[in-house]
């Protein structure tokens, strides 16, 4: 693989795969034309800090240590992508825009510059102390500021750099300040288009600063999707049967776990679409290989995606997801029966199956995604499940 000058890692927080690939977002479409799109990418968790920790480390939550929204920090014995790149001589900078990427979690490790400034909530409280994912969404750095600060930092770099830019606008309350998508089906799509517009602006600013896109490795992903309570046919939240699901966090349906993933740059095929299943936990090993750096020595859970760039079509990868957020949601007494969940999604040829089980509970549900892509007709199996090792098949 050729050595790439610099890395730009883009997180489009809370963006569903179907909306990202709808053709309505010109910035995303431009990235897809210059790179490879992984149409079946699966997130490790439906919460920002947990999912991003898996992206940064190549580890599943049980190994990187963050499993709840508010309780844990990144384990000190893990190695982040920013730490690896800084050790290799890269300047490292990040601009993040929500409480879930606050430096308290340890997400700043390895970054020379880590801009996590966000406003307090409207009532003056600290958003980092609130476990309601909707309420936390009121504290954000908007896309224009993210693009401006990220571009300004990159413009100051003369050697190889790693820029992480995080856009949070698609998160609730879905009130796009400007209309960049006349075809938007709803305000949520308007917010995605708002981020997309400033994503394009960021890349124009990088070009103007002397960082041509053809010299960059660009990885664009979303940490999780969003359940809009009936705006889309595969929604499950609210009156559809799961009132405790505030957009994301408590469920493991594809609504939140199926996410966009695009990789582009030297050595990456242009305009290719991969339909085999992959995982966000595969990002860090992929980046290291494309940058010509040694792989992780501690055995990451993810594997490099570069095998998909050749002529041979590799097998789809089993995808594990989990959420312990139900424990936090039931703490206010409104939903005392909620239990943590885990899932495995398997895709082999025409067979696409998912199993979701309660951690510490009795319920196991199996879904045939080929026949039931919206996951509305799960088959329930009653069995005892006392740990998180998986259902007893």
């Amino acid at each position: 693989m050729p050595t790439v000058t610099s890395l730009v890692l883009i997180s489009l927080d809370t963006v569903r795969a179907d909306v990202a690939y709808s053709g309505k977002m010109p910035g995303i479409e431009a990235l897809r034309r210059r790179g490879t799109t992984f149409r079946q990418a699966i997130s490790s968790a439906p919460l920002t800090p947990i999912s991003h920790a898996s992206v940064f480390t190549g580890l599943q939550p049980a190994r990187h240590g963050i499993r709840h929204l508010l309780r844990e920090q990144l384990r000190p014995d893990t190695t982040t992508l920013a730490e690896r790149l800084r050790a290799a001589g890269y300047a490292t900078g990040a601009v993040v825009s929500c409480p879930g990427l606050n430096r308290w979690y340890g997400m700043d490790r390895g970054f020379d510059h880590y801009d996590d400034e966000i406003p307090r909530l409207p009532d003056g409280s600290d958003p980092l102390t609130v476990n309601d994912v909707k309420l936390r969404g009121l504290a954000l750095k908007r896309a224009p500021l993210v693009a401006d600060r990220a571009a300004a930092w990159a413009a100051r770099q003369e050697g190889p750099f790693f820029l992480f830019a995080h856009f949070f606008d698609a998160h609730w309350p879905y009130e796009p300040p400007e209309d960049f998508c006349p075809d938007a089906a709803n305000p949520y799509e308007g917010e995605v288009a708002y981020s997309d517009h400033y994503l394009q602006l960021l890349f124009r600013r990088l070009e103007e600063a002397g960082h041509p896109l053809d010299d960059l490795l660009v990885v664009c992903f979303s940490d999780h999707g969003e359940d809009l309570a009936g705006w889309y046919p595969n929604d499950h939240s609210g009156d559809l049967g799961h009132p405790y699901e505030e957009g994301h966090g408590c469920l493991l349906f594809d609504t939140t776990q199926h996410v966009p993933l695009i990789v582009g740059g030297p050595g990456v095929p242009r305009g290719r679409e991969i339909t085999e299943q992959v995982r966000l936990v595969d990002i860090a090993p992929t980046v290291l290989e494309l940058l010509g750096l040694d792989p992780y020595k501690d055995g990451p859970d993810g594997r490099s995606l570069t095998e998909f760039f050749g002529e041979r079509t590799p097998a789809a990868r089993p995808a594990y997801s989990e959420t312990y957020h139900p424990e936090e949601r039931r703490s206010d007494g409104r939903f005392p029966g909620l239990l943590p969940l885990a899932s495995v999604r398997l895709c082999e040829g025409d067979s696409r199956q998912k199993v979701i089980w309660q951690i510490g509970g009795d319920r196991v549900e199996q879904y045939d995604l080929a026949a039931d892509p919206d996951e509305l007709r799960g088959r329930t199996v009653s069995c005892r499940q006392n740990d998180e090792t998986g259902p007893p098949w």
Side-chain angles (χ1 to χ4, degrees):
M1 291 293 175
T3 299
V4 180
T5 302
S6 295
L7 165 67
V8 178
L9 182 64
I10 301 292
S11 174
L12 300 175
D13 204 298
T14 323
V15 174
R16 299 165 51 107
D18 52 3
V19 173
Y21 299 148
S22 65
K24 300 177 183 179
M25 311 300 160
I28 291 174
E29 291 303 308
L31 292 180
R32 293 183 63 194
R33 287 192 296 272
R34 69 178 300 271
T36 294
T37 300
F38 292 89
R39 295 298 300 255
Q40 293 291 324
I42 305 300
S43 172
S44 296
L47 290 168
T48 295
I50 306 165
S51 180
H52 280 88
S54 289
V55 170
F56 288 163
T57 64
L59 300 174
Q60 296 288 16
R63 295 184 64 196
H64 65 58
I66 303 178
R67 310 189 84 170
H68 297 81
L69 185 62
L70 293 173
R71 298 183 188 179
E72 302 99 357
Q73 297 169 306
L74 199 61
R75 284 177 48 172
D77 59 346
T78 60
T79 302
T80 68
L81 192 57
E83 288 175 313
R84 287 294 311 275
L85 268 62
R86 184 165 68 178
Y90 286 70
T92 53
V95 180
V96 304
S97 51
C98 78
L101 290 178
N102 185 276
R103 66 185 65 234
W104 178 86
Y105 291 99
M107 302 294 184
D108 63 322
R109 280 175 26 196
F111 284 104
D112 305 315
H113 172 77
Y114 196 82
D115 178 355
D116 61 351
E117 178 190 12
I118 57 170
R120 298 183 76 83
L121 292 172
D123 65 0
S125 61
D126 181 356
L128 196 60
T129 65
V130 176
N131 68 12
D132 185 323
V133 295
K134 278 187 133 179
L135 183 58
R136 283 162 65 100
L138 295 173
L140 79 157
K141 185 188 282 122
R142 274 292 192 177
L145 196 55
V146 173
D148 182 66
R149 292 186 180 182
W153 179 85
R156 297 193 294 269
Q157 311 312 312
E158 298 181 354
F161 63 85
F162 166 28
L163 170 64
F164 173 55
H166 170 249
F167 294 86
F168 195 63
D169 302 86
H171 197 284
W172 187 87
Y174 324 130
E175 296 174 349
E178 300 174 68
D179 182 9
F180 291 114
C181 185
D183 297 330
N186 51 59
Y188 167 78
E189 291 190 5
E191 288 280 27
V192 177
Y194 186 70
S195 293
D196 184 84
H197 173 84
Y198 286 98
L199 175 64
Q200 297 172 76
L201 177 63
L202 170 59
F203 283 118
R204 287 199 297 270
R205 294 274 305 273
L206 291 175
E207 292 265 13
E208 293 167 359
H211 303 301
L213 292 187
D214 287 343
D215 291 345
L216 299 174
L217 171 61
V218 178
V219 179
C220 181
F221 70 97
S222 179
D223 57 339
H224 57 76
E226 187 79 327
D227 192 310
L228 280 303
W231 287 0
Y232 298 93
N234 63 343
D235 286 340
H236 295 79
S237 67
D239 294 338
L240 299 177
H242 300 276
Y244 45 83
E245 177 77 325
E246 298 287 351
H248 57 272
C250 288
L251 300 177
L252 294 177
F253 295 115
D254 280 5
T255 313
T256 59
Q257 299 314 109
H258 180 204
V259 294
L261 173 59
I262 305 162
V263 180
V268 180
R270 290 175 174 259
R272 178 177 293 184
E273 291 197 354
I274 303 297
T275 57
E276 285 71 29
Q277 179 172 282
V278 300
R279 301 81 52 94
L280 292 189
V281 76
D282 298 324
I283 289 176
T286 304
V287 166
L288 292 180
E289 183 171 351
L290 288 172
L291 294 178
L293 301 177
D294 292 334
Y296 285 110
K297 296 180 180 179
D298 53 357
D301 297 314
R303 306 200 320 269
S304 174
L305 297 171
T306 55
E307 66 176 355
F308 290 94
F309 299 157
E311 296 301 321
R312 185 178 64 86
T313 301
R317 301 176 178 183
Y320 171 82
S321 303
E322 70 172 44
T323 177
Y324 278 78
H325 189 54
E327 293 182 338
E328 295 171 294
R329 287 291 286 146
R330 75 185 185 214
S331 64
D332 61 9
R334 290 187 295 160
F335 305 106
L338 289 184
L339 288 174
L341 299 176
S343 70
V344 170
R345 194 178 192 269
L346 303 169
C347 294
E348 297 291 341
D350 294 332
S351 175
R352 297 172 57 201
Q353 303 288 327
K354 180 193 270 187
V355 176
I356 303 175
W357 68 94
Q358 292 176 325
I359 297 173
D362 298 337
R363 189 177 183 88
V364 177
E365 294 181 342
Q366 183 176 7
Y367 293 88
D368 181 345
L369 301 179
D372 179 25
D374 295 334
E375 298 169 282
L376 302 177
R377 301 186 301 275
R379 184 170 66 91
T380 301
V381 179
S382 295
C383 62
R384 193 65 191 165
Q385 181 63 34
N386 293 314
D387 56 34
E388 60 189 67
T389 57
W393 48 61

Short mmCIF file of all heavy atoms in Angstrom, two decimals, residues 7-9 56 82 85-86 90-96 108 110-115 149-150 153-154 156-157 160-166:
data_model
loop_
_atom_site.label_atom_id
_atom_site.label_comp_id
_atom_site.label_asym_id
_atom_site.label_seq_id
_atom_site.Cartn_x
_atom_site.Cartn_y
_atom_site.Cartn_z
N LEU A 7 -4.19 12.20 7.09
CA LEU A 7 -5.47 11.53 7.32
C LEU A 7 -6.50 12.55 7.78
O LEU A 7 -6.25 13.35 8.68
CB LEU A 7 -5.31 10.46 8.41
CG LEU A 7 -6.59 9.89 9.03
CD1 LEU A 7 -7.39 9.09 8.01
CD2 LEU A 7 -6.25 9.02 10.25
N VAL A 8 -7.69 12.48 7.16
CA VAL A 8 -8.85 13.25 7.62
C VAL A 8 -9.94 12.24 7.97
O VAL A 8 -10.42 11.52 7.10
CB VAL A 8 -9.34 14.24 6.55
CG1 VAL A 8 -10.58 14.99 7.05
CG2 VAL A 8 -8.23 15.24 6.20
N LEU A 9 -10.30 12.22 9.24
CA LEU A 9 -11.34 11.31 9.74
C LEU A 9 -12.57 12.16 10.05
O LEU A 9 -12.51 13.07 10.87
CB LEU A 9 -10.85 10.59 10.98
CG LEU A 9 -11.78 9.57 11.63
CD1 LEU A 9 -12.04 8.40 10.69
CD2 LEU A 9 -11.20 9.08 12.95
N PHE A 56 -11.63 4.59 17.45
CA PHE A 56 -10.29 5.07 17.78
C PHE A 56 -9.33 3.96 18.18
O PHE A 56 -8.11 4.12 18.05
CB PHE A 56 -10.36 6.09 18.92
CG PHE A 56 -10.96 7.42 18.53
CD1 PHE A 56 -11.42 8.28 19.52
CD2 PHE A 56 -11.08 7.81 17.22
CE1 PHE A 56 -11.98 9.51 19.19
CE2 PHE A 56 -11.63 9.03 16.87
CZ PHE A 56 -12.08 9.89 17.86
N ALA A 82 -4.90 8.21 17.44
CA ALA A 82 -4.14 9.47 17.54
C ALA A 82 -2.79 9.25 18.22
O ALA A 82 -1.78 9.86 17.82
CB ALA A 82 -4.96 10.51 18.31
N LEU A 85 -0.49 7.71 15.59
CA LEU A 85 -0.05 8.63 14.55
C LEU A 85 0.88 9.71 15.09
O LEU A 85 1.84 10.10 14.43
CB LEU A 85 -1.27 9.25 13.85
CG LEU A 85 -1.73 8.48 12.60
CD1 LEU A 85 -2.17 7.08 12.93
CD2 LEU A 85 -2.81 9.24 11.85
N ARG A 86 0.63 10.18 16.30
CA ARG A 86 1.54 11.17 16.88
C ARG A 86 2.93 10.55 17.07
O ARG A 86 3.95 11.21 16.81
CB ARG A 86 1.00 11.69 18.20
CG ARG A 86 1.88 12.79 18.79
CD ARG A 86 1.19 13.55 19.89
NE ARG A 86 0.97 12.73 21.08
CZ ARG A 86 0.40 13.19 22.20
NH1 ARG A 86 -0.03 14.46 22.25
NH2 ARG A 86 0.23 12.40 23.23
N TYR A 90 3.07 12.45 13.07
CA TYR A 90 1.95 13.24 12.58
C TYR A 90 1.56 14.30 13.60
O TYR A 90 1.53 14.03 14.81
CB TYR A 90 0.72 12.36 12.33
CG TYR A 90 0.80 11.48 11.10
CD1 TYR A 90 1.67 10.40 11.05
CD2 TYR A 90 -0.01 11.73 10.00
CE1 TYR A 90 1.74 9.59 9.93
CE2 TYR A 90 0.04 10.92 8.88
CZ TYR A 90 0.93 9.86 8.85
OH TYR A 90 0.99 9.05 7.74
N ALA A 91 1.22 15.50 13.12
CA ALA A 91 0.50 16.45 13.96
C ALA A 91 -0.93 15.95 14.10
O ALA A 91 -1.50 15.43 13.13
CB ALA A 91 0.52 17.84 13.33
N THR A 92 -1.50 16.08 15.28
CA THR A 92 -2.83 15.50 15.52
C THR A 92 -3.75 16.57 16.09
O THR A 92 -3.46 17.20 17.09
CB THR A 92 -2.74 14.31 16.49
OG1 THR A 92 -2.06 14.72 17.68
CG2 THR A 92 -1.98 13.15 15.87
N GLY A 93 -4.89 16.76 15.43
CA GLY A 93 -5.85 17.77 15.87
C GLY A 93 -7.27 17.29 15.72
O GLY A 93 -7.59 16.55 14.78
N ALA A 94 -8.14 17.71 16.64
CA ALA A 94 -9.53 17.29 16.61
C ALA A 94 -10.43 18.47 16.95
O ALA A 94 -10.10 19.30 17.81
CB ALA A 94 -9.79 16.15 17.60
N VAL A 95 -11.57 18.52 16.27
CA VAL A 95 -12.64 19.48 16.60
C VAL A 95 -13.90 18.65 16.77
O VAL A 95 -14.38 18.04 15.81
CB VAL A 95 -12.83 20.54 15.50
CG1 VAL A 95 -13.94 21.50 15.90
CG2 VAL A 95 -11.53 21.30 15.26
N VAL A 96 -14.40 18.58 18.00
CA VAL A 96 -15.58 17.77 18.30
C VAL A 96 -16.68 18.68 18.81
O VAL A 96 -16.44 19.80 19.26
CB VAL A 96 -15.25 16.65 19.30
CG1 VAL A 96 -14.12 15.80 18.78
CG2 VAL A 96 -14.90 17.20 20.67
N ASP A 108 -9.33 12.46 24.05
CA ASP A 108 -8.30 13.41 23.61
C ASP A 108 -6.91 12.80 23.60
O ASP A 108 -5.95 13.46 23.16
CB ASP A 108 -8.31 14.63 24.52
CG ASP A 108 -7.98 14.29 25.97
OD1 ASP A 108 -8.40 13.22 26.45
OD2 ASP A 108 -7.29 15.10 26.63
N GLY A 110 -3.59 11.41 22.67
CA GLY A 110 -2.84 11.40 21.43
C GLY A 110 -3.03 12.62 20.56
O GLY A 110 -2.31 12.80 19.57
N PHE A 111 -3.96 13.50 20.92
CA PHE A 111 -4.19 14.71 20.12
C PHE A 111 -3.39 15.89 20.69
O PHE A 111 -3.49 16.20 21.88
CB PHE A 111 -5.68 15.07 20.09
CG PHE A 111 -6.50 14.20 19.18
CD1 PHE A 111 -7.32 13.21 19.70
CD2 PHE A 111 -6.44 14.36 17.81
CE1 PHE A 111 -8.08 12.40 18.86
CE2 PHE A 111 -7.18 13.56 16.96
CZ PHE A 111 -8.00 12.57 17.49
N ASP A 112 -2.62 16.54 19.83
CA ASP A 112 -1.93 17.77 20.22
C ASP A 112 -2.94 18.89 20.48
O ASP A 112 -2.74 19.72 21.36
CB ASP A 112 -0.97 18.20 19.11
CG ASP A 112 0.02 17.13 18.72
OD1 ASP A 112 0.60 16.49 19.62
OD2 ASP A 112 0.21 16.90 17.50
N HIS A 113 -3.97 18.90 19.67
CA HIS A 113 -5.01 19.93 19.76
C HIS A 113 -6.36 19.22 19.83
O HIS A 113 -6.67 18.40 18.96
CB HIS A 113 -4.95 20.84 18.52
CG HIS A 113 -6.08 21.82 18.43
ND1 HIS A 113 -6.14 22.96 19.19
CD2 HIS A 113 -7.20 21.81 17.65
CE1 HIS A 113 -7.25 23.62 18.88
NE2 HIS A 113 -7.90 22.95 17.96
N TYR A 114 -7.15 19.52 20.89
CA TYR A 114 -8.45 18.86 21.05
C TYR A 114 -9.47 19.90 21.46
O TYR A 114 -9.56 20.29 22.62
CB TYR A 114 -8.36 17.75 22.10
CG TYR A 114 -9.53 16.78 22.05
CD1 TYR A 114 -9.55 15.74 21.13
CD2 TYR A 114 -10.61 16.90 22.92
CE1 TYR A 114 -10.61 14.84 21.08
CE2 TYR A 114 -11.67 16.01 22.88
CZ TYR A 114 -11.67 14.98 21.95
OH TYR A 114 -12.72 14.10 21.90
N ASP A 115 -10.23 20.36 20.49
CA ASP A 115 -11.24 21.41 20.71
C ASP A 115 -12.57 20.74 21.01
O ASP A 115 -13.29 20.31 20.11
CB ASP A 115 -11.33 22.28 19.45
CG ASP A 115 -12.39 23.37 19.56
OD1 ASP A 115 -13.13 23.42 20.56
OD2 ASP A 115 -12.50 24.18 18.61
N ARG A 149 -13.00 25.84 12.37
CA ARG A 149 -11.88 25.55 13.27
C ARG A 149 -11.03 24.39 12.76
O ARG A 149 -9.80 24.42 12.90
CB ARG A 149 -12.41 25.26 14.67
CG ARG A 149 -13.03 26.48 15.34
CD ARG A 149 -13.42 26.18 16.78
NE ARG A 149 -14.01 27.34 17.43
CZ ARG A 149 -14.40 27.36 18.72
NH1 ARG A 149 -14.26 26.27 19.46
NH2 ARG A 149 -14.94 28.45 19.23
N ALA A 150 -11.66 23.38 12.18
CA ALA A 150 -10.90 22.25 11.64
C ALA A 150 -10.02 22.70 10.48
O ALA A 150 -8.83 22.33 10.40
CB ALA A 150 -11.86 21.14 11.19
N TRP A 153 -7.03 24.82 11.73
CA TRP A 153 -5.94 24.01 12.32
C TRP A 153 -5.14 23.33 11.21
O TRP A 153 -3.91 23.35 11.23
CB TRP A 153 -6.52 22.97 13.28
CG TRP A 153 -5.45 22.11 13.88
CD1 TRP A 153 -4.70 22.39 14.99
CD2 TRP A 153 -4.97 20.85 13.38
NE1 TRP A 153 -3.79 21.37 15.22
CE2 TRP A 153 -3.94 20.43 14.24
CE3 TRP A 153 -5.33 20.05 12.29
CZ2 TRP A 153 -3.25 19.23 14.05
CZ3 TRP A 153 -4.64 18.86 12.08
CH2 TRP A 153 -3.62 18.46 12.96
N ALA A 154 -5.82 22.72 10.25
CA ALA A 154 -5.11 22.02 9.18
C ALA A 154 -4.25 22.97 8.35
O ALA A 154 -3.17 22.60 7.89
CB ALA A 154 -6.11 21.29 8.28
N ARG A 156 -2.51 25.33 9.31
CA ARG A 156 -1.26 25.65 10.00
C ARG A 156 -0.25 24.51 9.94
O ARG A 156 0.89 24.68 10.37
CB ARG A 156 -1.55 25.99 11.46
CG ARG A 156 -2.42 27.22 11.66
CD ARG A 156 -2.41 27.68 13.11
NE ARG A 156 -3.02 26.72 14.01
CZ ARG A 156 -4.31 26.73 14.35
NH1 ARG A 156 -5.13 27.63 13.80
NH2 ARG A 156 -4.79 25.82 15.17
N GLN A 157 -0.65 23.36 9.41
CA GLN A 157 0.24 22.20 9.41
C GLN A 157 1.08 22.16 8.13
O GLN A 157 0.56 22.33 7.04
CB GLN A 157 -0.58 20.91 9.54
CG GLN A 157 -1.59 20.93 10.66
CD GLN A 157 -1.02 21.41 11.99
OE1 GLN A 157 0.05 20.96 12.41
NE2 GLN A 157 -1.73 22.32 12.65
N PRO A 160 2.88 15.99 7.69
CA PRO A 160 1.72 15.09 7.74
C PRO A 160 0.89 15.32 9.00
O PRO A 160 1.44 15.59 10.07
CB PRO A 160 2.35 13.69 7.73
CG PRO A 160 3.75 13.89 8.19
CD PRO A 160 4.16 15.25 7.72
N PHE A 161 -0.42 15.22 8.84
CA PHE A 161 -1.30 15.48 9.98
C PHE A 161 -2.45 14.50 10.00
O PHE A 161 -2.78 13.87 8.99
CB PHE A 161 -1.83 16.92 9.94
CG PHE A 161 -2.69 17.25 8.75
CD1 PHE A 161 -4.05 16.97 8.73
CD2 PHE A 161 -2.14 17.87 7.62
CE1 PHE A 161 -4.85 17.27 7.63
CE2 PHE A 161 -2.91 18.17 6.52
CZ PHE A 161 -4.28 17.87 6.53
N PHE A 162 -3.05 14.41 11.16
CA PHE A 162 -4.29 13.65 11.37
C PHE A 162 -5.32 14.63 11.90
O PHE A 162 -5.18 15.15 13.00
CB PHE A 162 -4.05 12.50 12.36
CG PHE A 162 -5.32 11.85 12.90
CD1 PHE A 162 -6.51 11.83 12.17
CD2 PHE A 162 -5.30 11.25 14.15
CE1 PHE A 162 -7.65 11.23 12.69
CE2 PHE A 162 -6.44 10.64 14.67
CZ PHE A 162 -7.62 10.64 13.94
N LEU A 163 -6.35 14.89 11.11
CA LEU A 163 -7.44 15.76 11.51
C LEU A 163 -8.69 14.93 11.73
O LEU A 163 -9.12 14.18 10.85
CB LEU A 163 -7.71 16.81 10.42
CG LEU A 163 -8.98 17.66 10.60
CD1 LEU A 163 -8.89 18.53 11.86
CD2 LEU A 163 -9.23 18.52 9.37
N PHE A 164 -9.29 15.09 12.91
CA PHE A 164 -10.58 14.47 13.21
C PHE A 164 -11.61 15.58 13.35
O PHE A 164 -11.49 16.45 14.20
CB PHE A 164 -10.51 13.65 14.50
CG PHE A 164 -11.85 13.13 14.96
CD1 PHE A 164 -12.64 12.36 14.12
CD2 PHE A 164 -12.33 13.41 16.23
CE1 PHE A 164 -13.87 11.88 14.53
CE2 PHE A 164 -13.56 12.93 16.66
CZ PHE A 164 -14.34 12.16 15.81
N ALA A 165 -12.63 15.57 12.47
CA ALA A 165 -13.69 16.58 12.49
C ALA A 165 -15.02 15.88 12.74
O ALA A 165 -15.38 14.95 12.01
CB ALA A 165 -13.73 17.35 11.18
N HIS A 166 -15.74 16.35 13.74
CA HIS A 166 -16.96 15.69 14.22
C HIS A 166 -18.14 16.64 14.08
O HIS A 166 -18.16 17.72 14.67
CB HIS A 166 -16.76 15.28 15.68
CG HIS A 166 -17.99 14.80 16.37
ND1 HIS A 166 -18.60 15.52 17.37
CD2 HIS A 166 -18.74 13.68 16.20
CE1 HIS A 166 -19.66 14.86 17.81
NE2 HIS A 166 -19.78 13.75 17.12
#
